[in-house]
Structures are given as C-alpha cells and as structure tokens.
Amino acid sequence: MSLETSAAELSELLQNKTPVLILDIRAKERYMQGHITGSANAVCQNMQQKQVIMSKIPPNMKIILVDDDGTSSRENAMMMARFGFDVHFLKDGIKSWNKELVKSTQDTSIDGDSLWESLKDKKLFLLDVREPDEFAEHRIPGAVNIPLSQIFSSDAQQSIPRDKKVVTVCSHGNRSMVATFALAQNGIEASSLVGGMAMWNQVLIATTLKEGDVTIIQVEKIGKGCLSHIIGSNGQGVVIDPTHPASRYVKFAQKEGLEISRVIDTHQHADHVSAARDLARMTGAKLYLSKLEGYKIDSEKIVDGDTIPFGTKQLRVIHTPGHTAGSMSFVLDERFVFSGDTLFVEGIGRPDLRDMVEEFAANLYHTLHNKLLALPEDAKIFPTHHGDGIRPTQNGVYYTTVKAAKTLPLLDLSEADFVAKVASITTPRPMNYSVIIKINRGTIPISPMQIPDLEMGPNRCSIRM
Ligand SMILES: [Fe+2]
C-alpha cells in the first residue's frame, strides 16, 4: 500500500472534515513561519522520545506526516507503519501545498522560566494532561486537568477557552506534546511545557529584601516551594540551603554585587537534592555542615555556639534538633533567623522522617519553645520551605516573626500533648526521600541528569493543623 498522500487528497480530507492527525516534522521555526491548517509540530530530540511520543498517539488515528520535500516524512511514515499506524506522508512535502499556510501566534514549546513569567499574565490556560492521580499529587496552581486519553475527543476540548494562550503540561513533556496534536486538529494553538513537571521543579526565582546593611535574597524553587537564602554583607554572600541548579545562585548574588564566600546546609534534606557541595565547588566558597548529621562530605563541621563570619557580620549557629537530630539554625544580628525545616510560616517541621518520631518530637518541642521562640519577638524567621497556598509575607518574600510563630496551632500544647499529637499526624513522605537523604549525606553519588526525576512531587517537610 502506498503511503503517499497528494496535496489534493489532503486538501479534500480537510474540506470533508475527515478526522486526521497532520504532523509537521519540520524544525519548529519553519513550522511557526507557515504550516497547513490543523497541523501540529512534532519534533523529537531522539529516537527514545520518538518512541514515547508514538506510544501516546491513539493507534486508530489516520496520520499524515509533512516535511519540506517528502524525504524524511517518507522514512518516518515507513517506520511508523511498521508499528501498525495508519500513517501516510505528504508527497513532495510542504512545497507541494499550494494553499494558504497559517502562521503560529505562539511558540509551540515553552520552558519553565518563561512559563513562570507568563503565569503573571492572567490570559493563560494551563492544561495538565496527566492522569487524575498524578494531578492530585502535585500540580501547578491554576492548572486544569484533562487527561491525554480524553483530549482527542472534541467534547473534552469544549471547556478550553479560545481567548487564552494554552500551555499543555505533563510529567516530562511528551504527553503534553501529543496533546498539542489533538488541540491543533480543532484549531487550538498550544505551547508544550518542555521537560514537564520534572523541569518545572527546577525553576528558581529570586526576590530581594534589604534591611539596613543586610541584603537577603530569597531563592524559591517554585515548583516545590523550597526556599533558600543568600545573605549579603559588604560584598560577601552566605548561601543557606541551595537547591539545583547551583549556577543560578552565582547569577542572583552577582546581580546584588555579592560574591559567594560561604555555603551552608541547615540539615540533611529529604525532599530535594542539596546543591551546597556543587555551589561551594563552583565558587570556591567554604562549605559548612552540621557535625551531628553523619555527613560524609569534606566540610567545616559546625556545632551549637559556632560563628560563621562574612562581610562585616557573623551568623550565630544554634542547634535546633527535632526535624532531624543535627538540624542547625542561624541567627544574624538577633534580627534574622534562618530556621531550615524546623519552623515555617504556616507550621512546624515534621519529626517523623528518621523513624524516631517521639524522641524527635520531644526535641522539636524544646527547640521551638526554648530556642527559637525565645528570640526577640520581632525577629524575622526565614524557613527553607513554604506550604501550598501560603502567600508571601512581604514584597514576594516568605518569612514569619517570633511573635507570629507563637500563635501557631500545636505551640500552645504541653510537651506531652505536643508529642502525642505530632506523633499521631500521618502525612505521606516525600517521594524518593530515603535515596535523597543518602545523596545529601554523601554516601551515594548523583549525576545532574538524575536530579529532576528524583525531585518529582511536592515537598513534604512540614506539618500544619
Ligand atoms: Fe527537611
């Protein structure tokens, strides 16, 4: 059977509104300059992605491949036919098409940083095409879920607004690309989020707070709500709890005229891979880690009462066990506190990730009441996470104060009630938490390529009532 389709035959199919998936396999720029109406751009980075994409296309669909001249579309059609697809290619390619070509009004793909910028614009419709259980587990706020299995039905597409820019989202950017094929059939343009939720979780943004002679740059891993801080004094910066990609911190610091001279982790994180080692290596900065967490990483080990100098300031180290046994918090000028996962804007650190919940909960009680809440009432507390739905406190920066923290539920309980209550709360653990702990301890190696997949899913280091 010939796989060729002539321009006249394709034109007739379109006129008769015969369901057909027209996949334009030319480079994105060429497609965007002008393509056949109803066609979608299908460009795969490699064979593996091609196979994944094919596995997501409904097998009963009639497919027509389009390229410049009918050469590579023929080869691809022959390959897809071997997989059992009803596939054809446009004979002589786009140059044989003598009808009007449509120009794209939006990019066919979008990266995480650009999506973050675009989210500020309300004219965006985020369409998450993963399965409902994946969507329920973790999603970009405001996204609407229509699973890929339903998106090929025009009924399902009725709820998609025509006056908004559509961005499709999945876990790795494959299903979201296939969704753009289905939408193109109905004349809906869409941009697929490159790398999906895995890459969304790697987007870092920075917000700066200046108070007197102190600069605090709060860096947020927006997909997970992880917070980290660059504290600047007199041109020098200390970074607390950096996340990947580490190179972003160098840029954020440079923008405020800071050179990173110290890097610290408050504790062994369970929900994200620490970038502290890489950042210290990259910048030549000194790395500080708790002496009480069993780290197998070359670093200066810190204990309660130590000081870490930078610029004209110094950080005072306080041992704040509870979330982990060796968690440290850092106090600057008795006005700013960096509390890791011990105390958050909306709750307290969970003490159950190391399997000794009652002992850790009792430690947490003492840490909170006798150490953190004993600091001056107006001291600002900067945590390492914020929970879902929590709004920034001031100008985009998340923090709480000692005074506000004293009003948190759970903190009015006696020690015995606190331990009993905290031990009874069961929250799912972060995905991959035990392997992430080992990586962060320095006992198993990690390649940067593995980080996005390891960090899939929400952060789950806090408990709140
Ligand atoms: Fe943590």
Side-chain angles (χ1 to χ4, degrees), residues 361-378:
N363 288 338
L364 187 61
Y365 182 89
H366 285 287
T367 284
L368 292 168
H369 287 279
N370 302 331
K371 292 186 175 177
L372 293 179
L373 299 186
L375 290 163
E377 289 235 310
D378 60 353

Side-chain angles (χ1 to χ4, degrees), residues 10 32 59 81 132 151 179 198 210 214 217 221 228 252 289 310 317 325 385 387 408 438 447 457-458:
L10 176 54
M32 286 176 62
I151 207 92
K210 288 193 181 178
V214 174
I217 308 171
K221 184 166 252 200
S228 48
F252 293 145
L289 297 170
F310 69 107
V317 181
H385 292 292
L408 283 173
K438 286 183 191 137
S447 118

Side-chain angles (χ1 to χ4, degrees), residues 160-211:
I160 299 168
R162 301 296 177 122
D163 58 345
K164 290 192 172 178
K165 178 176 164 173
V166 177
V167 174
T168 55
V169 180
C170 66
S171 59
H172 291 90
N174 296 320
R175 282 176 282 176
S176 60
M177 192 203 281
V178 176
T180 69
F181 304 166
L183 296 173
Q185 276 189 308
N186 288 315
I188 301 173
E189 272 190 87
S191 310
S192 167
L193 176 63
V194 178
M197 293 300 287
M199 291 313 288
W200 175 249
N201 276 352
Q202 302 302 307
V203 176
L204 300 182
I205 60 158
T207 314
T208 301
L209 185 75
K210 288 193 181 178
E211 278 198 22

Side-chain angles (χ1 to χ4, degrees), residues 137-141 218 220-227 271 340-341 343-350 381-393 396-400 408 427 457-465:
E137 164 89 14
H138 185 42
R139 63 196 165 274
I140 301 174
Q218 187 171 71
E220 182 182 1
K221 184 166 252 200
I222 45 171
K224 294 177 74 72
C226 299
L227 302 171
D271 65 311
D341 285 353
L343 180 58
F344 302 103
V345 174
E346 73 283 6
I348 57 170
R350 59 187 293 178
I381 300 173
F382 297 84
T384 289
H385 292 292
H386 70 78
D388 275 350
I390 300 300
R391 308 287 308 156
T393 316
V397 179
Y398 296 85
Y399 67 82
T400 186
L408 283 173
T427 312
N459 87 62
R460 286 180 174 143
C461 278
S462 69
I463 45 178
R464 54 207 261 215
M465 298 299 290

Side-chain angles (χ1 to χ4, degrees), residues 266-272 323-324 327 340-342 344 350 353-354 384-385 460-462:
T266 53
H267 66 289
Q268 253 162 47
H269 299 283
D271 65 311
H272 65 265
H323 174 63
T324 67
S327 283
D341 285 353
T342 301
F344 302 103
R350 59 187 293 178
L353 290 175
R354 265 73 175 177
T384 289
H385 292 292
R460 286 180 174 143
C461 278
S462 69

